[in-house]
Amino acid sequence: EISYSLYLVHAFVLSVLYNAFKIPRIAAFVPAAYRDWLVIIVALAAASALYHLVEKPARKLIRDTNADPKPSSRQARAFP
């Protein structure tokens, strides 16, 4: 379900983390063997957060906004 969110966020995560790995203090903190796994984990976590905090609430808001309101009893009698 989070595939579209992953599509949206993966390039940003790649860019931020790989640029961060160019900084010597950060590069020394994260071993080279784990950097790719860290990128994957962070991208999946960001995609999951984006899906649950933005996409699902937006879908609900759009669905609720576009829902046909029930006509009041006065409107139902005025238009048979």
Side-chain angles (χ1 to χ4, degrees):
E1 291 188 20
I2 66 169
S3 63
Y4 186 67
S5 296
L6 181 60
Y7 167 74
L8 292 176
V9 78
H10 82 281
F12 176 74
V13 171
L14 284 170
S15 176
V16 168
L17 288 179
Y18 280 130
N19 284 328
F21 294 147
K22 293 177 183 177
I23 300 171
R25 286 183 294 172
I26 295 174
F29 181 71
V30 180
Y34 297 116
R35 290 180 188 167
D36 291 337
W37 286 107
L38 180 65
V39 169
I40 292 169
I41 291 168
V42 170
L44 287 173
S48 180
L50 183 66
Y51 176 75
H52 290 288
L53 298 175
V54 177
E55 189 174 343
K56 279 180 75 171
R59 283 184 187 179
K60 184 180 182 321
L61 178 67
I62 291 169
R63 193 174 332 125
D64 292 346
T65 302
N66 291 333
D68 291 333
K70 293 182 180 179
S72 66
S73 59
R74 175 187 265 172
Q75 290 174 332
R77 280 183 270 147
F79 299 104

